[in-house]
């Protein structure tokens, strides 16, 4: 299989073999090369059912371990989408694990590595996951803090109001509440 660089099926099966046999760096090297060289590379065309699901999960996990969180999040989302069409992913034992990993990426890892404007995008992507009220409120509070850091005081207030409607006794709001009360309204425009 290593000799068949132009055979996408063979290369995809080789990546799965590498992933399953603790050769993650080789799998990522092949995966990155194929994504650059083949415009519409889709492992689903070369792997069936469970193998495809395992492949995506292991690639995403490897991206996380190699500190490539954007690629990890995109791959976890692809995995969720691939299983949601027929409902099968919800029955898989690791559906909750996927949600947990995406929450960590969107609410902790990616915002921690990003400027406030970009962090808002990650929080909003996390909000699309169908979260419990408490987690939605936390995300809205974090978005409000980012808006405040960007100087968008009115948007920060509106977003904090959403958080408090979801969770009236939300913890950790003293600082943002104090900052907003001291700021008045000074949004540009």
């Amino acid at each position: 299989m290593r000799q068949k660089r132009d055979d996408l099926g063979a290369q995809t099966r080789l990546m799965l073999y590498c992933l399953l046999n603790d050769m993650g760096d080789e799998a990522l090297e092949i995966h990155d090369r194929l994504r650059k060289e083949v415009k519409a590379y889709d492992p689903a065309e070369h792997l069936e059912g469970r193998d495809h699901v395992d492949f995506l999960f292991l690639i995403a996990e490897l991206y996380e371990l190699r500190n490539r969180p954007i690629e990890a999040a995109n791959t976890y989302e692809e995995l969720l989408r691939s299983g949601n069409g027929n409902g099968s992913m919800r029955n898989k034992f690791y559906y909750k694990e996927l949600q947990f990993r995406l929450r960590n990426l969107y609410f902790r890892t990616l915002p921690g590595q990003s400027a406030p404007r970009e962090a808002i995008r990650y929080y909003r992507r996390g909000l699309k996951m169908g979260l419990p009220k408490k987690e939605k409120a936390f995300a809205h509070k974090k978005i409000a803090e980012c808006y405040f850091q960007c100087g968008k005081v009115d948007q920060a207030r509106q977003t904090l109001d959403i958080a408090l409607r979801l969770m009236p006794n939300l913890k950790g709001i003293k600082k943002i509440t104090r900052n907003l009360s001291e700021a008045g309204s000074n949004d540009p425009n």
Side-chain angles (χ1 to χ4, degrees):
M1 278 193 272
R2 292 175 205 273
Q3 304 302 324
K4 299 180 179 183
R5 285 181 59 98
D6 295 333
D7 183 340
L8 294 179
Q11 291 293 295
T12 304
R13 288 186 299 279
L14 174 60
M15 282 186 286
L16 181 60
Y17 174 84
C18 290
L19 290 166
L20 293 171
N21 290 285
D22 203 26
M23 296 184 286
D25 289 333
E26 187 173 344
L28 270 187
E29 183 181 313
I30 297 167
H31 193 253
D32 289 343
R33 178 180 53 79
L34 289 178
R35 286 178 38 206
K36 285 179 189 167
E37 293 176 3
V38 181
K39 188 175 185 175
Y41 172 68
D42 183 2
E45 294 176 6
H46 310 285
L47 296 170
E48 293 184 15
R50 178 108 177 125
D51 285 345
H52 179 244
V53 169
D54 289 345
F55 174 84
L56 288 177
F57 186 84
L58 292 169
I59 283 285
E61 186 175 54
L62 201 51
Y63 279 141
E64 260 191 289
L65 292 171
R66 299 297 185 269
N67 198 27
R68 294 169 64 177
I70 293 171
E71 290 151 307
N74 289 339
T75 307
Y76 285 136
E77 283 189 351
E78 180 183 346
L79 182 53
L80 283 174
R81 281 191 306 275
S82 74
N84 277 341
N86 58 16
S88 63
M89 182 55 64
R90 292 198 179 273
N91 297 327
K92 299 288 183 186
F93 71 94
Y94 54 84
Y95 179 77
K96 294 242 184 250
E97 179 69 17
L98 290 174
Q99 283 190 314
F100 174 77
R101 288 172 185 242
L102 279 167
R103 273 195 312 267
N104 280 339
L105 288 166
Y106 287 142
F107 292 165
R108 288 174 183 76
T109 305
L110 288 164
Q113 299 175 357
S114 306
R117 286 179 209 265
E118 193 176 352
I120 291 169
R121 283 193 349 214
Y122 294 126
Y123 289 124
R124 292 209 181 282
R125 278 177 79 174
L127 281 168
K128 292 178 183 177
M129 294 188 333
L131 304 168
K133 274 185 174 184
K134 184 177 182 179
E135 291 181 47
K136 286 180 185 176
F138 168 81
H140 284 290
K141 177 189 78 153
K142 298 303 281 182
I143 292 170
E145 291 170 356
C146 290
Y147 277 137
F148 183 80
Q149 291 172 353
C150 293
K152 298 185 176 206
V153 175
D154 290 339
Q155 282 182 280
R157 273 196 190 93
Q158 291 168 1
T159 308
L160 185 61
D161 285 345
I162 293 169
L164 291 171
R165 274 183 290 194
L166 287 167
M167 196 96 190
N169 50 354
L170 181 64
K171 296 188 185 307
I173 61 165
K174 267 186 190 173
K175 184 177 178 183
I176 185 69
T177 303
R178 184 181 65 244
N179 288 341
L180 289 172
S181 68
E182 291 172 359
S185 179
N186 61 358
D187 276 359
N189 297 355

